[in-house]
Amino acid sequence: MSYLKNDRYLRALQCLPVDYTPVWMMRQAGRYLPEYRKLRLKAGNFMTLCQTPELACEATLQPLKRFDLDAAIIFSDILTIPDAMGLGLHFEAGEGPKFVKPILSNIDIEQLPIPDPEQSLKYVMDAIRLTKKELAGKIPLIGFSGSPWTLATYMLEGGSSKAFTKIKKMMYCDPKALHLLLNKLSTCIALYLNAQIQAGAQSIMIFDTWGGVLSHQCYQEFSLYYMQMILSQLTRGVKSPDVTSYVPITLFTKGGGLWLDHIMQTGCDAIGVDWTVDLSKIKHKGQVAVQGNLDPSILYAGKSIIESNVDTVLTEFGGYNGHIFNLGHGIHQDTPVEHVQYLIDAVHQQSKRYHYD
Ligand code: 1CP
């Protein structure tokens, strides 16, 4: 029993039976929606949108008004933490994120403050509290953070990167300095995620978007180790017949398909996988939940292609408990909106055959 009207997502995260496979999409609120582009214009810039709880709440709810999704994700960004640490985040029109004060030296790392999430990141908690109220128990709300490694890439490179030369140079030439940064970030992230849970987030996702650019040894030392450290500090609650008494954690390393065994060993509740992974090959299905993994580019194609690819993902996962249907990465901003409806209808209709509730 739970007070949620739709608890499919939380049940699947605990590998409990459901009537059909729950579905949500990474970046489900965002630029592919005309109403988001309007709201973004009204806000003036992206950070104002994130920092105004009423607007962030509205952006969170926008995709839910169109589609029958099984979870909401709070509208925010992974780069709110570096911003709260004093790096000064801004978005230029048509460009990615940039920092006014990227990290340039070891002294910069030593001097980074650990922000109190209920102070400098209070706007995120306020957005969560408001959105929870607006959702009124309809579907669960996901809170999130970037992984320490992924945040560190932006903080050292000064923005988006293709080759990650600055952070990799530090990793190989001055690993101690990088470990100090990752340690500090882990402390910040654990505080931030616990504050999100306290504010009402019912599940947590950690986005390790750039973990896949590491060698397998470095992935364990510089990314997974710190995600595990965070996991061990989160107040997850306890499992009970009321699924909402427990806050499941999903770890998503893009490009991490070869390391799933190691990721599972962290004690996470779910692993997110991109489209390079064959779901039929994943071990321990039914014990650890799996989120994924349709290639978002499939949404450019027509209805029948979308339907057959949804069928492939569902068939590869098979008749186990613990699948959350999602894209393998965020939805592209030029995705035709009506194609999202095809995807959701296909998951609802086709997944019933795997569930006997
Ligand atoms: O111009 C705009 O309107 C800004 C576009 C945008 C949006 C809609 C950015 C800037 N962030 C977001 C929202 C966002 N970001 C959400 C909430 C929306 C939802 O999921 O419904 C979430 C969960 C994120 C997380 C995020 N931000 C990640 C991890 C997930 C992923 O996609 O890998 C990353 C890497 C970022 C950094 C970031 N923020 C924004 C952009 C364009 C980027 C990517 C930059 C890059 O490619 O390096």
Side-chain angles (χ1 to χ4, degrees):
M1 285 294 292
S2 79
Y3 68 86
L4 269 175
K5 291 184 191 86
N6 171 353
D7 61 5
R8 261 178 219 106
Y9 170 67
L10 292 182
R11 288 181 62 82
L13 282 169
Q14 291 191 35
C15 294
L16 296 168
V18 284
D19 53 355
Y20 62 74
T21 305
V23 53
W24 70 280
M25 291 180 306
M26 286 191 264
R27 299 277 182 112
Q28 64 191 24
R31 289 175 286 190
Y32 75 105
L33 289 175
E35 59 270 32
Y36 170 82
R37 297 197 293 269
K38 218 170 132 192
L39 189 67
R40 167 86 154 74
L41 219 59
K42 181 176 148 192
N45 66 65
F46 177 71
M47 282 312 279
T48 306
L49 185 48
C50 290
Q51 289 173 342
T52 313
E54 292 73 24
L55 299 181
C57 172
E58 194 178 333
T60 307
L61 300 177
Q62 281 178 342
L64 313 175
K65 291 191 177 131
R66 279 184 186 261
F67 311 117
D68 193 5
L69 294 156
D70 295 292
I73 180 160
I74 193 64
F75 190 85
S76 187
D77 198 78
I78 62 165
L79 301 174
T80 52
I81 286 188
D83 186 59
M85 292 172 107
L87 271 65
L89 175 63
H90 63 106
F91 287 84
E92 303 296 335
E95 278 182 53
K98 291 256 154 55
F99 288 115
V100 181
K101 287 191 281 179
I103 293 174
L104 300 173
S105 69
N106 291 8
I107 297 166
D108 288 348
I109 295 176
E110 280 158 27
Q111 289 179 344
L112 280 174
I114 308 286
D116 174 350
E118 275 293 356
Q119 301 246 328
S120 46
L121 291 159
K122 184 169 176 288
Y123 62 89
V124 178
M125 310 313 149
D126 286 342
I128 290 175
R129 286 185 275 260
L130 181 61
T131 307
K132 266 301 276 294
K133 221 164 86 196
E134 293 292 317
L135 283 172
K138 208 172 140 232
I139 50 172
L141 181 63
I142 306 169
F144 70 89
S145 167
S147 71
W149 166 261
T150 293
L151 294 188
T153 66
Y154 288 97
M155 293 167 83
L156 287 164
E157 304 291 336
S160 302
S161 180
K162 284 206 167 78
F164 303 93
T165 50
K166 295 192 177 89
I167 191 166
K168 286 197 171 184
K169 186 173 175 188
M170 182 180 276
M171 182 171 78
Y172 289 117
C173 301
D174 192 0
K176 245 176 105 181
L178 185 54
H179 278 303
L180 178 63
L181 175 58
L182 295 168
N183 250 303
K184 279 195 162 188
L185 281 167
S186 302
T187 304
C188 294
I189 292 167
L191 288 168
Y192 181 57
L193 291 178
N194 277 330
Q196 290 190 33
I197 293 170
Q198 190 72 37
Q202 288 152 300
S203 121
I204 292 292
M205 174 141 176
I206 299 180
F207 289 98
D208 187 27
T209 305
W210 303 119
V213 305
L214 288 164
S215 70
H216 65 99
Q217 302 97 330
C218 289
Y219 173 68
Q220 297 214 26
E221 182 179 344
F222 293 92
S223 185
L224 193 60
Y225 173 83
Y226 290 99
M227 290 198 281
Q228 176 151 32
M229 190 188 229
I230 293 165
L231 267 171
S232 71
Q233 291 172 49
L234 297 184
T235 43
R236 287 200 254 183
V238 283
K239 287 186 184 170
S240 82
D242 171 5
V243 278
T244 60
S245 66
Y246 182 72
V247 180
I249 318 291
T250 304
L251 297 189
F252 169 60
T253 292
K254 180 154 182 292
L258 293 173
W259 309 322
L260 299 185
D261 287 350
H262 293 291
I263 299 173
M264 283 177 195
Q265 281 164 20
T266 59
C268 63
D269 299 281
I271 46 170
V273 292
D274 66 25
W275 56 88
T276 60
V277 173
D278 175 349
L279 299 187
S280 71
K281 302 256 165 65
I282 295 183
K283 290 185 232 154
H284 310 297
K285 286 200 293 255
Q287 290 162 48
V288 179
V290 176
Q291 175 180 289
N293 70 340
L294 194 83
D295 182 345
S297 299
I298 285 167
L299 292 178
Y300 291 131
K303 193 162 180 269
S304 62
I305 304 283
I306 293 171
E307 285 172 350
S308 68
N309 280 280
V310 165
D311 182 66
T312 303
V313 171
L314 291 169
T315 307
E316 281 181 1
F317 189 82
Y320 299 87
N321 289 331
H323 184 204
I324 297 101
F325 201 101
N326 205 313
L327 305 175
H329 198 204
I331 186 168
H332 297 307
Q333 55 176 303
D334 54 349
T335 302
V337 177
E338 58 286 11
H339 290 197
V340 174
Q341 190 64 56
Y342 302 149
L343 163 79
I344 289 160
D345 289 347
V347 176
H348 287 176
Q349 284 158 19
Q350 297 180 34
S351 68
K352 281 196 189 119
R353 68 178 187 270
Y354 290 111
H355 304 288
Y356 311 96
D357 223 13

